[in-house]
Amino acid sequence: MQSGVLLARNTVRVAGHCRTPAGVSGSIPAVARRPAGCMGMRGATNAGMRTVSGTGSGRGSGSSRVAVVAAAAGSAAVLSALPAWLLVPAAVLLAAGGLISLAAWLDARAKTAVPSLQMAPTPFNTAVMAAVPSVYRPYRPTPGLTNGHVETIFASLNRSRPDVDYRREFLHTADGGIVTLDWEHFGEGEDDLPEDAPVLILLPGLTGGSGCSYVRHCLVRMRRAGVRSVVFNSRGTADSPVTTPQFYSASFTGDMRAVVARVAACRPRSTLIAAGWSLGGNILLRYLGEQGEDTPIAAAVSMCNPFNLTISNANFEKGFNNVYDRSLAKGLRKIFSKHEMVWRGAQDSSRPQDVATVTTVRAFDEAITRHTFGWPSVDAYYAGSSSSLSVPNLRVPTLCIQALDDPIAPREAIPYAALAANDNCVLVCTPTGGHLGWVAAGAEGGVVGEPWTDAVVEEWLCAVLKQLPATARGCGDGSGNGNGTAAATAGRELLEVAAVAAAGTAGR
């Protein structure tokens, strides 16, 4: 096997419902080497595996020097308009501000790098990745947002929320519980997508739902690509009702199985694909690992996945990371408080009376989650619910995107070796990005716009849909053949569904 590979100029066109990704001029260089910053990869290139990473950062530009000159001229103009007694303190403040700005710019420049890419050099992977130009371009962090904590918090507080209309559907599960599906809704006079357009099932993070900014941005971009989206809101999230003393967990896939069956029943002619963030990514991979090839999901994307819950939870206890632990625990308390009465008289050993005072995710799992799902301890729950265990069993194309400075899904939890050993898996790691951040310079919408990952998700999913034969997509043709139609039939038999239209946006 050659030690390197040269991917030809990106001339791949994405057919069907997906638009063609932006092209890349020239050739895309790649070098077979261990990705910078990735751990545990020694020997990963053995046994037919290769790690691919682009070269060159494309740093430095004349426009940056022009900006510096312009800033200096502006500062001089400000000083000339001030009285003499203010000149010295104003000059000190301007100089300090200039130094801080320069330091932020230099730090962002130093951290600009092509994302690391790990994949098996199969014909399928090579063809797909040739149509994903975003991963071969330098990832450019925004100056001032190069720290994982800063980027995580900035994105959480400042990212814009596109206007999206949903139609809400209540899905009644076999145990009497309810999850909600928020389908993208097209009003009167709006252009709907074709009946057989691909359907993307979106799984938000731990306490997230259809109202989250990152979910909405992804939905909007995929709509432009010709893909219909539906958000799977776990029990209690996004103002979903809770009718039984059971929430959701990192490894409970029963609700996901019901959601997939229902979506396949509603759209028997469509290819089903899925994407999950954080805990949603963990649940998605757990489901896919359990199902193997027996699923209508044709391809999946996992982003900022905690993978190894034991490592990720322990990471919460380190330094500033406890801020996220407390914040997530607060979100869980808020959701639970709306449904606390449902737990009164519960037959398990859960302790709903303790939830009001929990300050960590672990404490909530000790009070509720482990008891609901029958785990002997929280440690056993984390060890047995990690999606890293499911990676060897993934049988559909799966893209995993991680930020190496993610404070919630740390790099130490990424199962590099297991992903490298599975030809169906592609791993992309950015040097920065935080958790649910990826506030990259030049992203659509600016620093408060869509995350960098949205373009990668669109390009990769559209390329996969082009490469997969119809028989492998889980698409039914209405004849009773194909995984999609089989799942649709199962969904009709197993599920009792009540649908309601929700005016405006749901889950706010």
Side-chain angles (χ1 to χ4, degrees):
M1 181 182 299
Q2 295 179 348
S3 61
V5 63
L6 186 66
L7 299 181
R9 178 174 301 175
N10 179 33
T11 57
V12 177
R13 291 188 174 271
V14 179
H17 300 285
C18 298
R19 66 183 177 85
T20 305
V24 176
S25 61
S27 60
I28 305 173
V31 178
R33 62 175 175 83
R34 181 182 179 186
C38 285
M39 303 171 61
M41 282 302 300
R42 288 190 182 137
T45 55
N46 295 336
M49 295 304 304
R50 184 180 69 241
T51 299
V52 180
S53 177
T55 59
S57 63
R59 300 172 186 166
S61 68
S63 60
S64 299
R65 291 189 290 272
V66 171
V68 172
V69 173
S75 299
V78 170
L79 291 174
S80 65
L82 295 176
W85 65 274
L86 276 179
L87 287 177
V88 173
V92 171
L93 288 175
L94 286 172
L99 288 174
I100 292 173
S101 298
L102 178 61
W105 179 81
L106 290 173
D107 186 50
R109 184 171 182 245
K111 293 179 178 177
T112 295
V114 175
S116 63
L117 171 61
Q118 174 185 288
M119 68 175 185
T122 64
F124 179 86
N125 285 340
T126 302
V128 168
M129 294 311 297
V132 188
S134 293
V135 301
Y136 298 104
R137 301 186 184 117
Y139 177 85
R140 303 180 187 278
T142 299
L145 299 177
T146 56
N147 175 276
H149 298 300
V150 174
E151 191 165 4
T152 298
I153 296 171
F154 178 88
S156 175
L157 297 177
N158 298 288
R159 177 162 281 146
S160 61
R161 291 206 322 165
D163 290 331
V164 175
D165 284 344
Y166 291 115
R167 173 180 61 83
R168 173 155 287 193
E169 178 178 348
F170 293 104
L171 184 63
H172 295 253
T173 60
D175 69 327
I178 294 177
V179 297
T180 59
L181 297 177
D182 284 341
W183 295 83
E184 184 178 10
H185 177 65
F186 296 90
E188 186 176 351
E190 293 183 304
D191 291 333
D192 198 351
L193 295 172
E195 181 67 24
D196 62 345
V199 178
L200 173 63
I201 301 174
L202 299 173
L203 290 78
L206 177 61
T207 58
S210 56
C212 292
S213 60
Y214 60 87
V215 173
R216 291 170 177 242
H217 274 289
C218 184
L219 184 152
V220 169
R221 175 175 272 270
M222 294 308 294
R223 177 206 300 158
R224 295 200 305 262
V227 176
R228 189 188 312 277
S229 295
V230 56
V231 185
F232 164 26
N233 300 302
S234 294
R235 305 185 190 205
T237 63
D239 292 327
S240 302
V242 174
T243 55
T244 63
Q246 176 178 316
F247 265 150
Y248 49 95
S249 83
S251 57
F252 176 65
T253 58
D255 287 350
M256 178 61 180
R257 198 167 287 107
V259 166
V260 172
R262 174 57 186 170
V263 173
C266 291
R267 297 287 174 181
R269 297 178 57 199
S270 297
T271 302
L272 303 191
I273 49 183
W277 296 264
S278 196
L279 186 76
N282 192 88
I283 294 172
L284 175 59
L285 295 197
R286 292 286 302 190
Y287 160 80
L288 292 173
E290 291 174 4
Q291 296 299 118
E293 297 178 354
D294 186 22
T295 175
I297 301 294
V301 180
S302 163
M303 291 164 278
C304 48
N305 189 335
F307 278 117
N308 186 313
L309 300 185
T310 300
I311 293 176
S312 294
N313 186 261
N315 193 62
F316 271 147
E317 301 174 3
K318 298 178 181 178
F320 189 81
N321 294 345
N322 64 76
V323 170
Y324 311 115
D325 199 7
R326 293 198 301 268
S327 177
L328 290 170
K330 181 180 179 180
L332 289 170
R333 289 199 312 269
K334 182 178 179 181
I335 294 173
F336 187 85
S337 66
K338 300 177 182 178
H339 313 286
E340 181 180 1
M341 290 186 292
V342 178
W343 265 259
R344 294 177 182 175
Q347 299 302 306
D348 58 36
S349 56
S350 59
R351 303 196 305 272
Q353 67 276 9
D354 293 350
V355 173
T357 58
V358 302
T359 58
T360 66
V361 174
R362 183 185 181 90
F364 181 88
D365 290 334
E366 175 59 49
I368 300 296
T369 310
R370 80 166 184 88
H371 302 283
T372 301
F373 296 98
W375 294 95
S377 67
V378 173
D379 289 334
Y381 164 54
Y382 291 156
S385 300
S386 299
S387 60
S388 56
L389 302 174
S390 304
V391 170
N393 300 318
L394 299 177
R395 294 294 178 265
V396 301
T398 303
L399 172 66
C400 299
I401 311 177
Q402 302 288 126
L404 295 178
D405 67 348
D406 191 323
I408 296 176
R411 60 196 292 177
E412 294 82 3
I414 301 174
Y416 295 102
L419 291 167
N422 190 330
D423 288 358
N424 296 304
C425 298
V426 174
L427 173 64
V428 173
C429 294
T430 56
T432 61
H435 190 75
L436 298 172
W438 282 299
V439 186
E444 185 173 316
V447 295
V448 297
E450 68 175 22
W452 171 85
T453 48
D454 281 3
V456 179
V457 170
E458 177 201 348
E459 292 166 2
W460 187 83
L461 284 174
C462 289
V464 168
L465 290 174
K466 176 183 180 298
Q467 292 296 322
L468 285 177
T471 54
R473 298 178 187 173
C475 295
D477 58 6
S479 64
N481 299 317
N483 294 335
T485 302
T489 302
R492 295 187 186 100
E493 294 174 349
L494 296 175
L495 305 175
E496 173 188 359
V497 180
V500 294
T505 56
R508 287 188 173 181

